[in-house]
């Protein structure tokens, strides 16, 4: 679920000076601590809106801004990520200050997902225990607790919490819809971050005969089960497969889902798209400066495209912007710019029913000019 290559890229690009690398590592750890502190508030809309928590949330947002001071190694990829990261934090802070707390929560959820995959390297057991005390205070809803366990990579606990939530018979259509959303989130999270089709099948199979889910969701659920069974029969070891081959496999999976031809991915093919995302993340994790990097960023955005999870709108936009900034004037940058423009236009005219905000329109224009390179100057 999270983007694991950012800290590895920064460490790989850091100066050889031991002191500079130590400062970078210390800065990243401080940043990730703030990410973890924020999670109970991000997974609970009511907790994030609660005025009693405003001071803690504001403090954590300010803490997140500190990392940009460590991201100054000078490489194009690092510079683009530092710029995007800083801009997103600024927007989230401004939204929170204006009282637009739902918008800030969604933006921060997408942003902090960039950091969480690596926190198992930098956060120790004591940090989990400290977080657990916050969970008991805030995340009382079973579905919120499941999500919190998932984003902090406690997958067995997340599966157990999701199973508990899904075992409660819904009292009305609204509760059934909430359960279907929880089940979808479990698929997104566990396919992408854990890679255990058998464990996920154990969670899904008891749900396939339910008649209280909407018909379109039952259709998707059956396809997820079929794709999980196919995956279980033909697994791919992400750890030993060469990064270039992982990108090739991811491209082939995405081709079967036709996600690149659509502004949003078809939820029927959620499993292969999330499998592709996991392969791409692993490839970037192991070889963050590989020649395939631009294409991998583009494919990650395609695999992540959805309208069901607002936070992923933020995340795939960040993938695409990084692709453009790192490869100005290239064919892959133009593909990323076209995809980003299509996605944002769809988001505002197809989903929200209004024109693109002026500021966003200017920003997209700047990125298009960057993608076109010198030929854009007449």
């Amino acid at each position: 679920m999270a983007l694991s290559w950012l800290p590895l890229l920064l460490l790989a690009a850091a100066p050889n000076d031991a002191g500079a690398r130590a400062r970078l590592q210390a800065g990243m750890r401080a940043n990730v601590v703030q990410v973890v502190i924020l999670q109970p508030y991000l997974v609970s809309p009511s907790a994030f809106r609660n005025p009693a928590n405003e001071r803690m949330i504001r403090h954590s947002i300010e803490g997140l801004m500190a990392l940009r001071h460590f991201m100054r190694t000078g490489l194009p990829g690092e510079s683009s990520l530092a710029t995007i990261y800083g801009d997103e934090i600024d927007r989230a802070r401004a939204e929170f200050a204006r009282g637009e707390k739902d918008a800030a929560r969604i933006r921060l959820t997408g942003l902090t997902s960039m950091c969480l995959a690596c926190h198992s390297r930098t956060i120790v057991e004591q940090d989990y225990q400290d977080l657990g005390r916050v969970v008991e205070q805030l995340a009382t809803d079973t579905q919120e607790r499941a999500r919190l366990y998932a984003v902090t990579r406690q997958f067995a606990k997340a599966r157990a919490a999701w199973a508990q939530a899904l075992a409660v018979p819904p009292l009305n259509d609204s509760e059934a819809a909430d359960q279907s959303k929880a089940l979808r989130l479990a698929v997104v999270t566990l396919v992408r971050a854990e890679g255990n089709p058998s464990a996920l099948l154990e969670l899904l199979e008891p749900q396939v005969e339910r008649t209280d889910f909407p018909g379109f969701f039952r259709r998707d659920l059956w396809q997820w089960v079929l794709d999980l069974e196919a995956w279980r029969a033909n697994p791919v070891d992400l750890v030993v497969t060469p990064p270039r081959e992982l990108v090739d496999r991811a491209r082939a999976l995405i081709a079967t889902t036709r996600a690149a031809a659509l502004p949003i991915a078809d939820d029927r093919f959620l499993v292969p798209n999330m499998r592709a995302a996991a392969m791409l993340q692993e490839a970037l994790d192991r070889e963050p400066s590989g020649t395939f990097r631009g294409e991998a960023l583009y494919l990650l955005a395609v695999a992540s495209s959805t309208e069901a999870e607002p936070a992923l709108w933020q995340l795939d936009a960040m993938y695409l912007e990084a692709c453009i900034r790192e490869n100005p004037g290239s064919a892959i940058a133009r593909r990323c710019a076209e995809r980003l423009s299509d996605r944002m236009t769809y988001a505002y005219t197809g989903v929200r029913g209004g024109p693109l905000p002026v500021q966003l329109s200017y920003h997209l224009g700047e990125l298009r000019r960057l993608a076109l390179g010198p030929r854009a100057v007449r």
Side-chain angles (χ1 to χ4, degrees):
M1 187 176 186
L3 185 62
S4 61
W5 46 265
L6 174 61
L8 294 180
L9 173 60
L10 296 179
L11 286 174
N16 291 328
D17 178 76
R21 291 177 63 86
R23 288 192 296 274
L24 177 58
Q25 288 176 314
M28 288 193 305
R29 179 180 172 81
N31 183 76
V32 174
V33 168
Q34 296 301 328
V35 169
V36 173
I37 290 172
L38 268 174
Q39 294 313 304
Y41 304 98
L42 295 181
V43 302
S44 173
S46 59
F48 197 85
R49 297 188 199 108
N50 190 337
N53 300 325
E54 188 166 324
R55 183 177 179 182
M56 175 64 77
I57 295 170
R58 185 182 296 110
H59 176 77
S60 292
I61 294 173
E62 296 293 337
L64 287 175
M65 297 185 69
L67 183 62
R68 76 170 95 195
H69 299 297
F70 295 91
M71 300 164 72
R72 292 289 179 269
T73 63
L75 295 184
E78 174 274 323
S79 177
S80 73
L81 289 169
T83 298
I84 298 167
Y85 177 94
D87 289 348
E88 286 293 288
I89 285 292
D90 285 340
R91 293 183 187 115
R93 182 173 64 168
E95 287 166 344
F96 191 78
R98 291 195 300 264
E100 299 172 8
K101 293 189 176 180
D102 287 338
R105 184 178 65 83
I106 289 169
R107 190 178 303 281
L108 287 166
T109 300
L111 179 64
T112 59
S113 66
M114 292 181 68
C115 310
L116 282 166
C118 75
H119 85 270
S120 59
R121 303 183 185 97
T122 55
I123 299 296
V124 297
E125 185 63 30
Q126 182 59 47
D127 296 308
Y128 280 126
Q129 294 173 9
D130 293 340
L131 180 61
R133 286 190 279 271
V134 180
V135 174
E136 294 304 317
Q137 296 172 13
L138 295 176
T140 56
D141 178 270
T142 307
Q143 292 186 32
E144 291 174 357
R145 198 157 53 244
R147 181 165 184 159
L148 182 59
Y149 286 139
V151 298
T152 54
R153 302 184 69 80
Q154 301 176 79
F155 299 121
K157 288 184 178 181
R159 280 198 310 274
W162 270 314
Q164 180 183 351
L166 293 165
V168 178
L171 298 177
N172 49 49
D173 290 345
S174 178
E175 289 190 3
D178 285 343
Q179 288 192 2
S180 70
K181 292 175 183 176
L183 190 53
R184 183 191 183 282
L185 181 60
V187 173
V188 169
T189 303
L190 299 178
V191 170
R192 189 165 182 166
E194 187 183 30
N196 187 339
S198 296
L200 189 50
L201 277 167
E202 290 181 10
L203 181 66
L204 263 61
E205 286 175 338
Q207 311 300 322
V208 295
E209 300 295 340
R210 288 179 54 169
T211 58
D212 48 7
F213 285 146
F216 72 88
F217 183 78
R218 293 201 301 272
R219 176 206 65 180
D220 293 345
L221 181 54
W222 273 108
Q223 186 64 50
W224 298 344
V225 169
L226 292 174
D227 286 334
L228 285 168
E229 289 173 342
W231 178 16
R232 183 170 61 181
N234 295 283
V236 176
D237 191 330
L238 302 190
V239 175
V240 302
T241 304
R244 176 75 259 182
E245 183 180 337
L246 288 174
V247 175
D248 293 340
R249 285 178 175 271
R251 187 193 313 110
L253 277 174
I254 291 172
T256 68
T257 73
R258 298 191 65 250
L262 302 168
I264 57 170
D266 189 336
D267 256 8
R268 284 180 301 168
F269 307 117
L270 194 62
V271 170
N273 280 328
M274 292 301 98
R275 286 186 64 198
M279 292 176 183
L280 293 161
Q281 287 181 334
E282 178 68 20
L284 285 165
D285 194 345
R286 286 163 52 194
E287 201 171 318
S289 299
T291 56
F292 53 75
R293 178 177 169 80
E295 183 187 17
L297 290 170
Y298 169 78
L299 292 173
L300 262 172
V302 170
S304 303
S305 62
T306 179
E307 66 179 3
E309 293 169 82
L312 289 184
W313 283 85
Q314 309 293 344
L315 192 56
D316 74 67
M318 294 175 75
Y319 293 140
L320 292 169
E321 184 166 344
C323 166
I324 296 164
R325 291 188 180 280
E326 293 176 22
N327 303 278
S330 68
I332 190 62
R334 292 190 286 276
R335 286 179 72 189
C336 289
E338 181 180 1
R339 178 75 182 181
L340 181 58
S341 180
D342 287 348
R343 283 281 283 160
M344 292 299 102
T345 301
Y346 177 83
Y348 283 89
T349 63
V351 176
R352 302 180 186 179
L356 282 174
V358 173
Q359 184 177 5
L360 178 57
S361 181
Y362 282 135
H363 185 60
L364 289 174
E366 174 197 343
L367 291 174
R368 280 194 293 269
R369 285 191 293 274
L370 193 62
L372 289 171
R375 74 181 194 179
V377 180
R378 297 185 182 278

